[in-house]
């Protein structure tokens, strides 16, 4: 273990005392795990292209010095919602700052501690299901162990069978100014059979913010449940954001992810779907646009564990300036998952000599009767198309702008809600990297 | 194959055809690896001091390294002290000087293998350097090649006769500490081939080497070095076989290729090391480092491999595209059956401007086998307008095997372009039925479909090799359908 | 309006145009015919300024300006329009959006006011009506998933909206069945005007049944080897291009009658 991890390990105080015994056992075990493994390094295959640079430079701390915290009332404005929403939860430093009360019947939205007190059905099983560091396949386990060890803050949403929970916005930000802290938080989504929910997550931090957020989202989709998960992320060049999304899917469930990453100092997202029941469907879509010194590392993985599943991964990336985009997608078809169909598509445009794109689309297949394919490209805009536009009177720059936007819009256009698609595409226009 | 006996059982029991043991006396070092062993190998080969130093440096580095575990392979721990690092067929005092002096039994072995050594070699127009366990046993056509200025000899001879060339190029493509197995090879390599094509010469014939591991509990650590000077061209063929043995045998070779300006090397391999039996017992552990350095502008290195053997294959023939406008190619068929495991692919490192690379990989997996493609395409900041195209297809036959794809794409130049495509499929029932309905047996249909699947690679092989590769594939596939 | 003098151009290091001369006045339609590989499409691409088409000699004066000095988009803004032989598919870019961006770029260049979306839509609907084209193509991405006929119609539609001074139709008839050909030709005829010149590049005479040219040129081996009226096209149709190889244009009229009988 390196010095940085060792320092964090000595600081680590499991959040004990609150909550039931099983939870304390879980926290203790995770703390042990962290103390023996620490945070990942570039020697770990899953972190080959991403170092912890910003975190170590900022000398991230686990405990928040008492005198530096800014009272919630004085905190800078949180992210402006990308679209108007009925239900909104604002989280600051991993804790709920405020939340709307008008919930449809059949939807419970609670702070994690409240949910533990009221013993929400299925919560214990969900919290205990987060895979441990022992499995070589999981890549953010050092951070996850830290998250579990300090498990205290977060949100629990439960949607009753057959209920449409509508759209819920989680707006994340951090506020500590003089110090650089690591904030942990947990989101648990429990969708009973046939339930529906749209989770919209927005992450935004102001300039010079040096914090790191470490957030785990766990979603359990019952039979035929449907979760639409939209994520929009824009950190400052000094901020870290480590997130992990774990989705377990029963038969016939449908998970759709739409991620829009504009990067940050260190942005890492591990997105993992386990198709446990037959004919489950996972559609993972994302665009990443990077400029300046921004970084983003997306790891998406789908485990097909039952027959007749479908998964697709559709990601588009643009890197300019000194931006660095890492993209790793994996499909794992387990024995017995016959009839699986899996598609992966990843295309990237590199705009600058200082920018870098590393992509690794993996397939691991242990069943036959499988149709799997992937395509990955890194290159430039189609020169034929650029000429076509120029021959119609648009200049070089306009032509490139239009084509790059179209390239990224191919992701936002996959959103069913045209209003949301438009709003997100406007945000993309705002941050579009330029050719240099 | 008669209709009556073509039951699945019979097919499964299809024997490895090259699995005979040659009964000749050989002079073998006792098992174990130490500085003394390295010195002993060097002394036995009467090597100059600098080469001994070079080996000892590699050995020291190897001691500090760990066996890599990143490949998609399940390997039992290798006991490096249980292996003998030198085994030479014993024939009087000296090694054979010409084919006439070679132990007749050895020649018989090559006969069984189908190595075109004597007249057959002449007819086929192939110059053969055969490496048997650890030493080279004779090279044909030396005179004719000599006229053209081509040097084609065993590595040991090259050390004696052309030390300046060996010294100039050895380890410049694969340095001693490149990886665990390359370091091991650098310390204990025993023989191999050396090829030198001088400036402007197009090698008048295809050069060929056959490797064979014979003695029990030996490892084979051959080293091949091919240098093509400005404007030179050579096509080099390599064939590998080993007898059936219960224990696993280690093969850790290093191949280095160097092309200067406008030079071109075409390197073809048909690897048919013993794969182990149908229960996964025995077989060769094949850990090979093959790398070509396109040092000069407009030079070209092309790797073609057909891999049907070995219990474990760990092999990534690579190209460093240093010269502007240089070209790297990799064409591969890897077939695994029973309990075979393969983790193979290539690396294309683009450094020069306008460099181009092409990767065509076909993986076929049957039985309980695991077959992984692992490839790296790297576009460095200097590699303006570099291009790569990769196509990587897997085919699964049966429910218990695995097919995996791990491509790494690293791009740091905005004018570079990388395209990667991969598919995984099985033999379609409709395809099979169509063949059956036309009266073709299931086995024939499968091999026909697989052959079609691999065509893109086979057409890159020299004619005789393509025929051999196709036949090998059929043999290896037998028992896969049922 | 257009004067091409001694134009030489290379593609991938090979000389394709070898001294081409052509002069056109506003309102004229010139057809350029010739065998495959004669350099017909090269001419269109050179005039539009496509990369990879290297002019080694000669000049092109368009309305008093040296066209070869201009960027592709400047040529477009000056009024040069190329209807592509293979219109490019641009996934994700809406046809309407694309065309409005192009039109406004051209208007801006000419110092005219840019059109807002309402004004633009009015214009577009008007043009669609004139060309008898349905508006479903407005909602699709540029050429994406279009049939061959739809692509060519989209080119003509763009031409109608952009109102160029010089339109170059590069094998607009290729790959079209007779009905699609008629539709496209009808569109072109509607866009004929006294101040618009058109170059119709084609391999076959049949397009010229519907678009009657003022002049027909034969392009062979990088040069215009014959010029005549619409009747020249009919002769070419009868005799094919083979005569070009055995003796050139001089032989056309004398041996026409005898050659017509041979296959």
């Amino acid at each position: 273990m390196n010095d940085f991890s060792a320092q964090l390990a000595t600081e680590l105080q499991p959040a004990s005392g609150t909550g039931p015994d099983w939870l304390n056992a879980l926290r203790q075990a995770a703390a042990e795990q962290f103390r023996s493994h620490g945070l990942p390094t570039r020697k770990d295959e899953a972190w080959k292209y991403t170092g912890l640079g910003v975190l170590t430079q900022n000398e991230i701390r686990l405990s928040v010095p008492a005198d530096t915290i800014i009272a919630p009332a004085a905190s800078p404005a949180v992210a402006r919602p990308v679209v108007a929403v009925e239900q909104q939860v604002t989280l600051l430093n991993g804790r709920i700052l405020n939340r709307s009360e008008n919930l449809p019947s059949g939807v419970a939205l609670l702070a994690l501690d409240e949910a533990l007190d009221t013993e929400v059905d299925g919560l214990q099983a969900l919290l205990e299901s987060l895979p441990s560091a022992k499995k070589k396949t999981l890549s953010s386990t050092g951070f996850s162990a830290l998250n579990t060890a300090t498990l205290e803050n977060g949100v629990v949403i439960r949607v009753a069978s057959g209920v449409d929970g509508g759209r819920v916005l989680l707006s994340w930000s951090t506020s500590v100014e003089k110090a650089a802290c690591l904030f942990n938080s947990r989101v648990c989504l429990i969708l009973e059979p046939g339930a529906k929910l749209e989770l919209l997550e927005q992450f935004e931090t102001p300039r010079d913010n040096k914090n790191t957020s470490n957030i785990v989202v766990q979603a359990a989709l019952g039979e035929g449940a449907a979760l639409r998960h939209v994520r929009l992320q824009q950190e400052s060049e000094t901020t870290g954001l480590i997130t992990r999304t774990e989705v377990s899917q029963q038969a016939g469930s449908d998970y759709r992810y739409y991620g829009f990453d504009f990067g940050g100092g260190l942005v890492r997202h591990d997105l993992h779907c386990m198709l446990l029941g037959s004919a489950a469907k996972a559609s993972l879509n994302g665009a990443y646009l990077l400029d300046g010194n921004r970084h983003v590392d997306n790891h998406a993985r789908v485990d097909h564990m039952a027959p007749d599943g479908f998964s697709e991964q559709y990601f588009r990336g643009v890197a300019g300036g000194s931006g660095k985009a890492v993209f790793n997608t994996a499909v794992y078809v387990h024995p017995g998952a016959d009839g699986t169909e899996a598609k992966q598509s990843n295309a990237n445009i590199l705009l600058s000599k200082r920018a870098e794109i590393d992509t690794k689309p993996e397939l691991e297949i242990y069943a036959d009767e499988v149709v799997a394919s992937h395509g990955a490209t890194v290159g430039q805009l189609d020169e034929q198309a650029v000429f076509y536009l120029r021959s119609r009177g648009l200049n070089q720059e306009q032509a490139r702008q239009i084509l790059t936007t179209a390239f990224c819009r191919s992701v936002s256009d996959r959103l069913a809600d045209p209003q949301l698609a438009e709003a997100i595409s406007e945000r993309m226009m705002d941050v579009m990297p330029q050719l240099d | 194959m008669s209709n009556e006996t073509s039951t699945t059982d019979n097919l499964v029991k299809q024997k490895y055809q090259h699995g005979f043991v040659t009964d000749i006396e050989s002079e073998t070092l006792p098992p174990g690896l130490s500085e003394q062993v390295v010195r002993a190998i060097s002394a036995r080969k009467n090597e100059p001091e600098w080469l001994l130093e070079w080996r000892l440096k590699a050995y020291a580095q190897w001691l500090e390294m760990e066996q890599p575990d990143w490949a998609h392979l399940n390997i039992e721990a290798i006991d490096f002290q249980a292996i003998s690092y030198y085994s030479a067929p014993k024939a009087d005092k000296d090694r054979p000087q010409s084919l006439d002096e070679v132990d007749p039994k050895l020649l018989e072995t090559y006969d069984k293998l189908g190595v075109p050594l004597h007249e057959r070699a002449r007819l086929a127009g192939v110059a053969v350097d055969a490496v048997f366990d650890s030493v080279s046993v004779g090279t044909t056509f030396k005179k004719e090649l000599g006229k053209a200025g081509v040097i084609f000899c065993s590595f040991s001879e090259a050390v004696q006769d052309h030390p300046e060339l060996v010294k100039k190029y050895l380890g410049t493509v694969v340095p001693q500490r490149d990886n665990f197995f390359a370091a091991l090879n650098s310390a204990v390599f025993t023989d191999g081939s050396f090829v030198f094509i001088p400036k402007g010469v197009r090698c008048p014939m295809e050069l060929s080497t056959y490797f064979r591991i014979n003695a029990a509990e030996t490892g084979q650590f051959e080293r091949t070095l091919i240098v093509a000077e400005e404007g030179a061209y050579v096509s080099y063929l390599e064939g590998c076989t080993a007898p059936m043995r219960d224990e696993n045998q280690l093969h850790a070779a290093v191949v280095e290729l160097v092309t200067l300006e406008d030079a071109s090397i075409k390197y073809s391999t048909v690897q048919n090391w013993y794969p182990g039996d149908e229960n996964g017992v025995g077989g060769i552990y094949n850990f090979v480092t093959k790398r070509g350095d396109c040092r000069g502008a407009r030079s070209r290195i092309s790797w073609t491999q057909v891999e049907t053997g070995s219990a474990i294959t760990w092999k990534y023939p690579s190209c460093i595209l240093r010269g502007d406008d240089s070209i790297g190619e990799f064409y591969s068929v890897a077939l695994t059956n029973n309990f075979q495991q393969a983790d193979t692919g290539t690396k294309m490192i683009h450094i020069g401007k306008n460099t181009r690379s092409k990767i065509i990989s076909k993986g076929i997996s049957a039985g309980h086998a695991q077959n992984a493609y692992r490839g790296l395409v790297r576009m460095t900041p200097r590699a303006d307008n570099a291009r790569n195209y990769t196509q990587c297809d897997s085919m699964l036959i049966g429910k218990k095997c695995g097919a995996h794809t791990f491509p790494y794409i690293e791009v740091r130049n905005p004018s570079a372009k990388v395209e990667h495509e991969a598919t995984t499929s099985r033999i379609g029932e409709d395809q099979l039925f169509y063949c059956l309905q036309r009266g073709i047996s299931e086995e024939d249909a499968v091999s026909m479909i697989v052959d079609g699947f691999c065509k893109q690679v086979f057409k890159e092989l020299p004619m005789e090799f393509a025929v051999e590769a196709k036949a090998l594939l059929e043999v290896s596939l037998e028992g896969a359908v049922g | 309006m257009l004067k091409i003098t001694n134009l030489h151009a290379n593609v991938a290091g090979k000389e394709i145009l070898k001294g081409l001369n052509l002069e056109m006045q506003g309102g004229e339609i010139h057809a350029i015919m010739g065998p495959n590989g004669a350099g017909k499409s090269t001419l269109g691409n050179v005039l539009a300024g496509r990369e990879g088409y290297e002019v080694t000699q000669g000049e092109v004066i368009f309305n008093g300006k040296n066209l070869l000095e201009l960027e592709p988009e400047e040529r477009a803004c000056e009024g040069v329009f190329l209807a592509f032989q293979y219109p490019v598919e641009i996934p994700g870019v809406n046809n309407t959006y694309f065309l409005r961006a192009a039109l406004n770029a051209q208007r801006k260049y000419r110092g005219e006011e840019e059109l807002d979306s309402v004004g633009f839509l009015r214009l577009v609907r008007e043009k669609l009506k004139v060309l008898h084209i349905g508006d479903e193509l407005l909602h699709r991405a540029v050429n994406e998933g279009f049939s061959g006929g739809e692509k060519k119609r989209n080119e003509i539609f763009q031409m109608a909206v952009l109102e160029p001074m010089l339109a170059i139709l590069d094998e607009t008839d290729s790959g079209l069945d007779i009905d699609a050909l008629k539709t496209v030709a009808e569109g072109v005829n509607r866009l004929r005007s006294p101040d618009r010149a058109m170059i119709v590049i084609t391999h076959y005479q049949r397009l010229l049944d519907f678009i009657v040219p003022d002049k027909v040129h034969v392009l062979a081996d990088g040069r215009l080897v014959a010029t005549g009226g619409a009747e020249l096209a009919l002769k070419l149709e009868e005799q094919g291009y083979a005569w070009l190889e055995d003796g050139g244009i001089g032989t056309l009229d004398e041996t026409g009658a005898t050659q017509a009988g041979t296959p």
Side-chain angles (χ1 to χ4, degrees), chain B residues 284-305:
Chain B
I284 301 288
Y285 283 2
N286 193 28
F287 298 94
V288 177
T289 306
K290 289 184 165 179
R291 194 174 303 154
D293 189 355
C294 285
R295 239 166 247 185
R298 297 169 304 279
S299 63
R300 179 183 197 134
I301 288 177
S302 176
W303 297 101
T304 306
Q305 61 172 30

Side-chain angles (χ1 to χ4, degrees), chain B residues 333-379:
Chain B
V333 165
L335 183 144
T336 50
N337 196 356
N338 296 323
F339 286 85
Q340 281 179 278
Q341 304 178 63
D343 193 297
T344 183
T346 183
K347 292 184 202 174
M348 293 290 174
I349 312 292
H350 291 254
I351 298 170
K353 295 183 185 15
N354 306 314
T355 46
R356 260 141 236 274
S357 64
K358 185 173 173 186
I359 300 171
I360 305 288
S361 164
K362 305 280 179 178
I364 302 138
S365 208
H368 293 83
Q370 300 296 331
N371 199 331
Y373 166 82
R374 188 181 302 277
L376 167 68
V377 175
R378 178 181 289 153
M379 300 295 185

Side-chain angles (χ1 to χ4, degrees), chain B residues 318-482:
Chain B
S318 304
C319 296
I320 299 168
L321 302 168
R322 211 183 293 279
D324 291 348
D325 303 291
S326 59
I327 296 173
E329 290 167 320
F330 175 75
Y331 301 95
S332 169
V333 165
L335 183 144
T336 50
N337 196 356
N338 296 323
F339 286 85
Q340 281 179 278
Q341 304 178 63
D343 193 297
T344 183
T346 183
K347 292 184 202 174
M348 293 290 174
I349 312 292
H350 291 254
I351 298 170
K353 295 183 185 15
N354 306 314
T355 46
R356 260 141 236 274
S357 64
K358 185 173 173 186
I359 300 171
I360 305 288
S361 164
K362 305 280 179 178
I364 302 138
S365 208
H368 293 83
Q370 300 296 331
N371 199 331
Y373 166 82
R374 188 181 302 277
L376 167 68
V377 175
R378 178 181 289 153
M379 300 295 185
T380 65
R382 275 192 48 211
D384 292 342
N385 299 313
R387 296 282 180 270
N388 162 267
Y389 174 73
T390 301
Q391 187 190 332
C392 173
D393 299 320
S394 310
M395 182 177 271
L396 291 146
I397 303 173
K399 284 186 181 299
K400 287 168 186 158
C401 53
H404 321 297
T405 316
F406 305 104
Y408 297 68
I409 301 166
E410 304 175 1
V411 185
R412 301 193 61 183
N413 186 304
S415 62
K417 201 176 254 178
V418 180
E419 285 176 80
H420 173 99
E421 286 171 30
T423 61
T424 301
S425 56
R426 61 195 294 269
I427 294 180
E429 268 164 32
D430 48 347
Q431 290 172 317
L432 266 184
F433 177 71
Y434 189 81
C435 296
L436 295 176
Q437 206 285 319
R438 294 290 182 270
I440 299 160
S441 76
E442 191 167 0
E443 289 74 27
D444 289 351
V446 167
S447 66
M448 217 163 77
I449 292 167
V450 169
D451 184 46
F453 179 72
C454 301
K455 193 136 269 166
Q456 254 175 307
V457 174
F458 287 164
K459 74 176 173 45
E460 295 298 322
L461 285 170
M463 186 60 166
E464 320 85 76
F465 247 38
V467 173
E468 185 181 340
K470 216 177 131 177
L472 257 181
L473 215 63
E474 271 167 32
V475 171
S476 308
L477 260 178
E478 276 168 2
V481 193

Side-chain angles (χ1 to χ4, degrees), chain B residues 215-228:
Chain B
E217 285 159 5
T218 52
Q220 178 152 323
F221 306 93
E222 87 269 359
R223 189 135 193 143
T224 298
L225 175 57
I226 303 180
V227 178

Side-chain angles (χ1 to χ4, degrees), chain A residues 61 97 425 436:
Chain A
R61 304 280 302 276
L97 187 65
S425 117
D436 76 14

Side-chain angles (χ1 to χ4, degrees), chain B residues 42 59 88 95 98 145 149 313 329 340 351 436 475:
Chain B
S42 187
Y59 177 66
R95 294 196 297 102
S98 73
L145 290 168
T313 301
E329 290 167 320
Q340 281 179 278
I351 298 170
L436 295 176
V475 171

Side-chain angles (χ1 to χ4, degrees), chain A residues 45 49 338 350 353 356-369 372-380, chain B residues 72 370 381 384 396 399 402-412 414-418 420-424 426:
Chain A
E45 177 69 17
Y49 297 112
D338 292 342
L350 194 56
K353 278 216 154 183
E356 176 174 348
I357 289 174
D358 302 308
T359 173
K360 191 178 163 211
E362 303 175 30
L363 289 172
E364 279 193 63
I365 297 178
Y366 296 90
D368 69 357
E369 291 175 52
S373 64
H374 68 213
T377 60
V378 181
Q380 308 82 40
Chain B
H72 193 278
Q370 300 296 331
D384 292 342
L396 291 146
K399 284 186 181 299
H404 321 297
T405 316
F406 305 104
Y408 297 68
I409 301 166
E410 304 175 1
V411 185
R412 301 193 61 183
S415 62
K417 201 176 254 178
V418 180
H420 173 99
E421 286 171 30
T423 61
T424 301
R426 61 195 294 269

